[in-house]
Amino acid sequence: MGYWCSLHLFDDKKFYREVVPQLRGEVGDLTEASREFLRYYSYGGISHFSEEKINSLIEKNNQRVISISKSMDQTFKIHYEFDKITDYKSKRHYLGQLDGHYEFCEFMQYYLFKTCADFNPNLGLGKGGVSRNFTIANKTISCNVMRELDYWSEFFAHGMTGITNWITHEDVELLFLDKENLHFDDNELAKSFLELLDIAYKNKLGFIMGVDMRESQLELLYENKLLPDDL
């Protein structure tokens, strides 16, 4: 047993321009997204509940998502309170006490792939990240970007599942322009990553990584395709 990491294309421009304001309740309405999430992505679903109960659950989910989202910094990677905590035990305790944290992480996995990430094409990385497939010199741009990509967010990867991190299209561009520092021998994963890097660079997209995500459900979110059909 273990965990399964996968890498996907990510429209960071849309994420910061449109999705983050939605998550913070500044624009739009999360009601229908919450309804779909609770119906198809929450364990047990909601079909057995009354309409009144369903509306209550939707409202509660919206409130949790908005509250936690408002507690994130402008990068949406740092939680103002959580990231002040330094020791592991206290961090676990904080997340255990944070109302709706698990549901928030699950909703993020669903909503990002519904709006600004694409499950396919993807790169299956198995039990590790990207950088382990390369030999990368320290103090290079490639090293810095790869470390960011492979860094697992303790806040988003609840229980070692879900979204682990993302990098922007600017990061992808830096990595692409410095790819001569990505050295490898006969490694199919490394070759496949460089192919995906080329696609991301040409289409001005970032990368998002996850671990043990709900693949069978996320790949059905086909409405949001980031690439032209002929690619």
Side-chain angles (χ1 to χ4, degrees):
M1 298 296 290
Y3 50 82
W4 177 263
C5 295
S6 54
L7 183 71
H8 311 264
L9 297 173
F10 178 55
D11 187 345
D12 61 289
K13 299 183 293 298
K14 183 177 181 180
F15 174 67
Y16 287 111
R17 183 180 64 248
E18 300 179 20
V19 177
V20 168
Q22 293 167 6
L23 294 170
R24 288 178 171 153
E26 297 167 354
V27 299
D29 185 354
L30 294 174
T31 296
E32 289 310 309
S34 286
R35 186 187 300 275
E36 183 180 68
F37 167 70
L38 292 169
R39 180 177 294 161
Y40 299 113
Y41 293 84
S42 61
Y43 292 108
I46 56 175
S47 59
H48 55 293
F49 291 128
S50 67
E51 190 63 26
E52 181 180 4
K53 178 64 174 179
I54 290 172
N55 290 335
S56 175
L57 290 171
I58 290 171
E59 180 61 25
K60 189 173 185 178
N61 188 70
N62 288 351
Q63 290 174 355
R64 285 170 167 171
V65 169
I66 291 170
S67 176
I68 294 177
S69 296
K70 285 183 174 180
S71 300
M72 309 299 291
D73 77 341
Q74 63 180 2
T75 70
F76 214 80
K77 291 187 177 186
I78 296 175
H79 184 276
Y80 289 123
E81 295 300 322
F82 176 75
D83 284 274
K84 292 178 183 177
I85 305 171
T86 56
D87 66 284
Y88 177 81
K89 186 176 180 180
S90 295
K91 284 188 172 185
R92 295 301 97 196
H93 177 75
Y94 180 86
L95 293 182
Q97 298 298 310
L98 182 59
D99 180 45
H101 177 252
Y102 170 78
E103 291 80 4
F104 171 79
C105 292
E106 289 287 297
F107 184 81
M108 282 288 291
Q109 183 183 157
Y110 150 76
Y111 199 60
L112 265 61
F113 278 92
K114 179 180 174 65
T115 58
C116 56
D118 197 342
F119 194 85
N120 290 309
N122 69 70
L123 180 61
L125 296 166
K127 297 182 180 181
V130 179
S131 57
R132 70 190 181 104
N133 295 286
F134 297 92
T135 301
I136 312 172
N138 289 326
K139 299 182 180 180
T140 61
I141 292 174
S142 293
C143 181
N144 291 335
V145 176
M146 284 293 210
R147 281 177 178 170
E148 176 69 14
L149 181 59
D150 279 346
Y151 176 79
W152 281 30
S153 166
E154 296 177 277
F155 191 84
F156 284 108
H158 180 93
M160 302 288 282
T161 65
I163 293 168
T164 57
N165 210 346
W166 62 80
I167 60 173
T168 68
H169 70 285
E170 289 104 336
D171 296 321
V172 164
E173 181 176 5
L174 289 173
L175 186 60
F176 181 86
L177 297 176
D178 193 55
K179 63 182 179 179
E180 68 270 10
N181 282 311
L182 299 176
H183 304 290
F184 66 97
D185 295 321
D186 188 18
N187 186 315
E188 290 302 317
L189 273 178
K191 294 177 183 176
S192 296
F193 173 77
L194 291 178
E195 291 173 1
L196 196 59
L197 177 65
D198 184 67
I199 291 173
Y201 171 73
K202 289 179 179 176
N203 289 275
K204 297 184 176 3
L205 296 170
F207 282 138
I208 190 166
M209 188 181 292
V211 58
D212 286 345
M213 294 192 294
R214 300 189 186 187
E215 295 186 8
S216 60
Q217 294 167 314
L218 295 179
E219 64 184 358
L220 297 178
L221 294 172
Y222 57 85
E223 307 162 20
N224 178 56
K225 302 301 293 183
L226 301 183
L227 299 178
D229 292 335
D230 57 351
L231 284 179

